[in-house]
Amino acid sequence: MVEEAANGLEALETIQKEKVDLALVDWNMPDMDGREFIREVRQDKTYKDMRMIMVTTETAITKVEEALEAGADEYIMKPFTKEIILEKLALLGMDTSNASK
Amino acid sequence: MSVSKSDFNYIRELVLERSAIVLDDGKEYLVESRIGQVAETEGFGTIDQLVKALRKNSHNGLQSKVIEALTTNETSFFRDIHPFETLKDAVIPELLENRKNERRLNIWCAASSSGQEPYSIAMVIRENFPVLLDWKIDFVASDISETMLNRCRSGKFSQLEVNRGLSAALLVKYFEKEGASWFIKRNLQEMIHFQQINLSRELPYLPKMDIIFMRNVLIYFDIETKKRILNQLISILQPDGFLFLGAAESTINLDSSFERTDYKHSGCYRLKR
Ligand SMILES: C[S@@+](CC[C@H](N)C(=O)[O-])C[C@H]1O[C@@H](n2cnc3c(N)ncnc32)[C@H](O)[C@@H]1O
């Protein structure tokens, strides 16, 4: 199932209500920066199994490093395709057999 | 640009003879688009004129350009992931043990395309087996296409290419960014020797290999060619070495000297004892 959140706060609410396995996090959300979001989620052990992929137009190496330091599992530079996401999920050892939606 | 039946047949024979790549009936569209492109960049108005030049052999390097244009270079870092996990978890650990006296390892990546595959292997080694830094590693990566080999040597990748299959952790560790391009670091590049090898011809001298990656290239050949190539591998692969084929490839019905290993989804084969 895919949930969408318009901004960081909404995303935080969503993960409290539903069990989320994977979050695609945009660096530039209207209210909060994606890195802060990831850092905040990572501080809460409840979400320790949740995978987070930063998806962004930022392409500097330092940005990739910052995202990883904040606790992102992976990083995708825009533009991207469905295939790129599936390849990243495979890298994370996630089952992609029914993830083609 | 359209292609006549006789020009299509001429190109098909040429490509078969020079590279063993089989162009089935119905692949006219491929010739039209890809050879049409070559005709344009080489200053021929039509495919017909290009074929005339091919027949007269009047245009230096044209044959190679035509053949390169008809290769498929699709690849990605850590393509299918499982072979690289098997390499890390089983293949290299076993070889570390078996070769601990000689302290040398020979690796051949036999259709390297733009370089993602050999560099993925190099990253597996660097990342997980620091002891191999003191070993003698002979790592050959080859392809029929000089254009692809030059891309391999340049170690240059686009954003789209590094997005595919490469973990962010390895990206920051082993690449440098210059403008919009990503360059693999020198120390990885220097591990690999890039060399042109046409698999459809008799193979040049190669040292006995511990690991051969020959993935997603046999699929372009006819059965006889596949058999001939696999047969040559019997004498190139060490008796305890490992052969990796692509996910859609197999030695079954082609060569009974090999058997598939149990490593899941890896396309990993060994010589029968
Ligand atoms: C689809 S790519 C496979 C790349 C990589 N091994 C992988 O699995 O991702 C196929 C490559 O085989 C090369 N090739 C085609 N015919 C060949 C031949 N006769 N000898 C050597 N390489 C060949 C092409 O140039 C191309 O780069």
Side-chain angles (χ1 to χ4, degrees), chain B residues 18-21 71-76 79 110-114 117 143-145 148 197-200 215-217 220-221:
Chain B
R18 289 280 308 267
S19 71
I21 296 174
T71 60
T72 299
N73 306 117
E74 161 72 11
T75 188
S76 61
R79 182 172 185 176
S112 56
S113 190
S114 38
E117 183 168 79
D143 200 279
I144 193 177
S145 159
M148 284 301 125
I197 296 178
N198 184 345
L199 296 172
S200 76
R215 302 176 62 221
N216 304 301
V217 61
Y220 301 106
F221 305 147

Side-chain angles (χ1 to χ4, degrees), chain B:
Chain B
M1 250 180 237
S2 66
V3 64
S4 68
K5 189 78 205 153
S6 68
D7 286 349
F8 176 71
N9 284 335
Y10 182 83
I11 290 172
R12 163 148 82 178
E13 307 254 294
L14 176 75
V15 169
L16 183 66
E17 197 268 315
R18 289 280 308 267
S19 71
I21 296 174
V22 177
L23 291 173
D24 291 317
D25 284 331
K27 285 283 167 83
E28 284 85 353
Y29 71 93
L30 201 73
V31 169
E32 285 173 354
S33 68
R34 296 199 188 165
I35 301 307
Q37 189 75 46
V38 176
E40 207 157 285
T41 50
E42 297 299 310
F44 300 100
T46 61
I47 294 181
D48 192 50
Q49 277 170 358
L50 178 143
V51 170
K52 283 208 177 79
L54 278 176
R55 287 182 196 270
K56 282 191 295 196
N57 205 0
S58 60
H59 199 88
N60 224 346
L62 188 59
Q63 276 199 354
S64 305
K65 291 205 171 87
V66 164
I67 285 146
E68 288 191 357
L70 289 165
T71 60
T72 299
N73 306 117
E74 161 72 11
T75 188
S76 61
F77 287 105
F78 296 90
R79 182 172 185 176
D80 304 330
I81 191 74
H82 303 290
F84 301 92
E85 281 169 352
T86 297
L87 191 63
K88 165 166 101 57
D89 297 335
V91 167
I92 297 183
E94 182 173 332
L95 289 169
L96 277 179
E97 181 58 29
N98 292 357
R99 303 283 181 276
K100 62 175 185 247
N101 296 327
E102 307 94 308
R103 296 164 71 80
R104 62 179 302 161
L105 215 50
N106 296 333
I107 306 169
W108 178 27
C109 179
S112 56
S113 190
S114 38
Q116 284 88 333
E117 183 168 79
Y119 287 127
S120 298
I121 299 170
M123 283 185 268
V124 168
I125 292 175
R126 269 296 147 102
E127 198 56 17
N128 303 286
F129 304 99
V131 338
L132 287 178
L133 280 175
D134 301 331
W135 287 35
K136 175 146 179 29
I137 311 256
D138 247 314
F139 188 163
V140 178
S142 64
D143 200 279
I144 193 177
S145 159
E146 278 293 350
T147 308
M148 284 301 125
L149 288 166
N150 283 331
R151 285 213 47 201
C152 289
R153 292 183 188 109
S154 76
K156 179 178 169 184
F157 297 96
S158 70
Q159 175 173 309
L160 180 70
E161 288 167 334
V162 299
N163 244 346
R164 295 197 49 196
L166 182 64
S167 77
L170 294 179
L171 176 70
V172 299
K173 198 159 166 187
Y174 295 110
F175 290 79
E176 273 155 7
K177 200 176 174 211
E178 248 182 77
S181 301
W182 297 78
F183 287 86
I184 192 100
K185 285 196 177 161
R186 258 310 239 299
N187 57 353
L188 286 196
Q189 215 173 355
E190 285 167 354
M191 283 173 71
I192 308 173
H193 173 70
F194 294 99
Q195 168 185 355
Q196 193 197 34
I197 296 178
N198 184 345
L199 296 172
S200 76
R201 294 289 149 87
E202 192 169 334
L203 298 175
Y205 168 78
L206 289 165
K208 282 254 185 189
M209 293 293 167
D210 300 299
I211 300 169
I212 299 177
F213 270 62
M214 188 177 281
R215 302 176 62 221
N216 304 301
V217 61
L218 292 181
I219 34 169
Y220 301 106
F221 305 147
D222 60 26
I223 291 180
E224 288 315 311
T225 309
K226 290 179 198 183
K227 283 185 175 166
R228 205 172 59 235
I229 295 171
L230 286 172
N231 191 261
Q232 294 190 72
L233 295 190
I234 298 172
S235 53
I236 294 178
L237 192 62
Q238 289 278 14
D240 61 348
F242 297 85
L243 166 68
F244 286 89
L245 299 180
E249 296 161 333
S250 156
T251 61
I252 294 167
N253 296 332
L254 295 173
D255 202 307
S256 56
S257 313
F258 295 91
E259 62 190 354
R260 200 187 189 109
T261 65
D262 293 335
Y263 306 121
K264 268 233 175 83
H265 311 303
S266 295
C268 180
Y269 295 78
R270 303 191 83 169
L271 289 165
K272 285 182 189 160
R273 304 280 168 137

